[in-house]
Amino acid sequence: MDFELSPSEKQFRDEVRAWLKTNKPRDEATGGESQRAFIDRRRAWQKKLYEAGYVGITWPKEYGGRGAGFMEQLIFNDEMILAKAPDPINVIGLGMGGPVVIAHGTEEQKKRYLTPLLSAEEIWCQGFSEPNAGSDLSGLQTRAEDKGDHYVVNGQKVWTTLAHVAKWCMLVARERKEANPRDGLTYLLVDMESPGVEVRPLVQITGDAEFNEIFFKDVVVPKSQILGEPGNGWAVAMTTLLHERGTLGMALATRAQITAAELTEHARKIGRGSDPLVRQRIAQFTIEARALQLNGYRAVTAMKRNGIPGPEGSILKLMWSELNQRMTESAIDIAGPAGQVDDGDGWRYPFLRSRANTIEAGTSEVLRNILAERVLGLPRSR
Ligand SMILES: Cc1cc2nc3c(=O)[nH]c(=O)nc-3n(C[C@H](O)[C@H](O)[C@H](O)COP(=O)(O)OP(=O)(O)OC[C@H]3O[C@@H](n4cnc5c(N)ncnc54)[C@H](O)[C@@H]3O)c2cc1C
């Protein structure tokens, strides 16, 4: 396999690199700012990326995308990480919302939703998890009652990232009770400004409130906002999750290499660079990060052949999340007692945030089940 970029891919990489060098925000590390100020700043950054043609790189041009290939998207993701540029605000919309509308939406829906999502005018959130339905999504209880030209939605979602600033929620709700709980679900795009939607932020171990509970009380959702076929929401939800792990996975492979390099710098700075145990640990992380990237190329090959992410994305998510936890833990160890009392030379936040890595976008246990069944072909666990 040839790992080299083609001449046109190299040209694209150089263009992106130069653009990021000039345009990357310089005001990231302000600290102590309000959530609102942070969101506004990230929204403005996404708008700038959009105007330069760097958001929705693989999306069709007629809906505001760049109409380029998957390789350009990967090159762009890598350059963003290498430049340490902040993520655009609409991570969920870009990673999942747009791709699922492109895959299952009607022409009107594509025209209505995609461009404001790209420009960050409208932020999206994902309303899948419920207090009693996380890993087992098919256990969800939120109801969508058919009232002719609209549904009435009642229920609760939880862990909904960005719900506090979102305009649209990708909501999976139960329209009918069927013998198979995966049947009878309907996938709706819910306007978060609708009467009856209440959002309550949840504060994480980091002190940030990235995610929320959402309560739906008699929320009216027009039928024009169904995505896919009524009662067939499971298939639409599965497309969403494949995109979640696929898109996420590739970017994570590069991120792991950067974290390993930063850890090396951290050990040197603290004066632990010649400690043989520290050196061995960092060498091992560096090897694993590289192996992750090589695995990523397999996912790219599958994606280029089939056009949709395959279960290989689960390998990347699983390996990265556990590696990232070990790397951030080591960073705190290397800092010694200082790591406990101050910001651990900048590692305290990443350490605390990494706790969520093995839960979000599928827990490690669930990903192992997926790999066992769909990649290795082992018998189903149940
Ligand atoms: C930072 C963060 C952001 C998130 N953002 C969103 C969001 O925007 N939208 C959204 O819908 N959700 C979101 N989630 C929710 C996330 O997808 C769920 O937390 C996750 O699916 C796990 O569900 P749960 O918390 O209900 O745990 P449970 O499903 O109750 O699992 C509890 C434990 O049991 C294990 N387990 C469950 N089933 C099995 C099995 N079959 N075999 C072996 N072990 C099993 C799990 O691995 C876990 O350790 C977010 C979570 C986090 C941490």
Side-chain angles (χ1 to χ4, degrees), residues 158-301:
V158 72
W159 318 128
T160 326
T161 306
L162 290 172
H164 53 304
V165 287
K167 165 74 177 164
W168 295 106
C169 177
M170 296 172 261
L171 182 93
V172 192
R174 186 164 302 286
E175 181 172 343
R176 293 187 306 272
K177 275 210 162 129
E178 302 270 357
N180 180 348
R182 295 177 179 184
D183 295 334
L185 300 174
T186 297
Y187 198 113
L188 297 170
L189 302 178
V190 178
D191 185 343
M192 294 292 284
E193 289 164 19
S194 310
V197 175
E198 189 194 339
V199 176
R200 292 188 203 155
L202 294 167
V203 178
Q204 290 161 255
I205 193 175
T206 53
D208 285 347
E210 266 178 78
F211 51 33
N212 307 267
E213 293 176 291
I214 316 179
F215 297 86
F216 298 91
K217 191 163 185 309
D218 295 331
V219 177
V220 172
V221 184
K223 284 202 170 160
S224 58
Q225 286 161 218
I226 304 174
L227 198 59
E229 295 300 314
N232 195 23
W234 185 257
V236 188
M238 288 307 105
T239 308
T240 315
L241 295 182
L242 277 179
H243 278 281
E244 179 175 34
R245 284 165 207 153
T247 332
L248 187 80
M250 286 312 305
L252 297 178
T254 306
R255 206 173 283 280
Q257 295 202 318
I258 302 263
T259 309
E262 287 173 349
L263 192 54
T264 314
E265 268 317 298
H266 171 60
R268 277 207 187 101
K269 198 170 137 204
I270 300 268
R272 305 273 315 269
S274 52
D275 178 329
L277 293 179
V278 169
R279 289 161 65 90
Q280 280 170 22
R281 233 197 286 178
I282 296 179
Q284 179 62 30
F285 294 147
T286 308
I287 292 165
E288 289 180 45
R290 176 70 178 146
L292 194 62
Q293 184 150 49
L294 295 176
N295 243 307
Y297 293 147
R298 294 204 315 189
V300 175
T301 310

Side-chain angles (χ1 to χ4, degrees), residues 8-210:
S8 65
E9 287 165 355
K10 275 191 188 139
Q11 192 189 340
F12 177 73
R13 179 199 62 193
D14 294 343
E15 269 169 40
V16 174
R17 199 169 280 179
W19 188 88
L20 284 173
K21 201 166 173 210
T22 319
N23 293 285
K24 188 185 89 162
R26 312 266 160 230
D27 57 348
E28 262 307 290
T30 47
E33 69 181 347
S34 70
Q35 266 276 323
R36 177 58 60 186
F38 171 81
I39 300 284
D40 289 348
R41 213 154 33 74
R42 286 289 170 96
R43 203 191 272 266
W45 169 230
Q46 181 171 333
K47 188 156 184 271
K48 196 166 183 180
L49 286 166
Y50 168 67
E51 284 163 358
Y54 292 135
V55 188
I57 288 178
T58 58
W59 300 14
K61 277 192 179 156
E62 63 264 39
Y63 310 122
R66 191 184 179 96
F70 184 57
M71 276 311 290
E72 280 77 9
Q73 181 67 62
L74 291 182
I75 291 167
F76 177 76
N77 292 350
D78 272 5
E79 290 304 317
M80 286 278 282
I81 295 168
L82 291 168
K84 298 200 177 129
D87 288 330
I89 183 68
N90 221 350
V91 275
I92 293 187
L94 294 170
M96 294 179 257
V100 81
V101 169
I102 292 170
H104 295 277
T106 61
E107 194 50 33
E108 290 80 64
Q109 287 174 328
K110 291 178 195 171
K111 287 206 176 98
R112 165 63 189 86
Y113 297 114
L114 295 176
T115 304
L117 188 163
L118 287 170
S119 64
E121 215 175 298
E122 294 179 345
I123 294 175
W124 284 50
C125 67
Q126 177 196 17
F128 282 28
S129 304
E130 296 185 2
N132 291 314
S135 304
D136 185 10
L137 184 61
S138 68
L140 64 87
Q141 302 292 329
T142 295
R143 292 184 322 279
E145 215 181 318
D146 189 342
K147 295 282 185 187
D149 64 344
H150 66 274
Y151 287 99
V152 172
V153 172
N154 279 287
Q156 184 194 345
K157 296 287 171 179
V158 72
W159 318 128
T160 326
T161 306
L162 290 172
H164 53 304
V165 287
K167 165 74 177 164
W168 295 106
C169 177
M170 296 172 261
L171 182 93
V172 192
R174 186 164 302 286
E175 181 172 343
R176 293 187 306 272
K177 275 210 162 129
E178 302 270 357
N180 180 348
R182 295 177 179 184
D183 295 334
L185 300 174
T186 297
Y187 198 113
L188 297 170
L189 302 178
V190 178
D191 185 343
M192 294 292 284
E193 289 164 19
S194 310
V197 175
E198 189 194 339
V199 176
R200 292 188 203 155
L202 294 167
V203 178
Q204 290 161 255
I205 193 175
T206 53
D208 285 347
E210 266 178 78

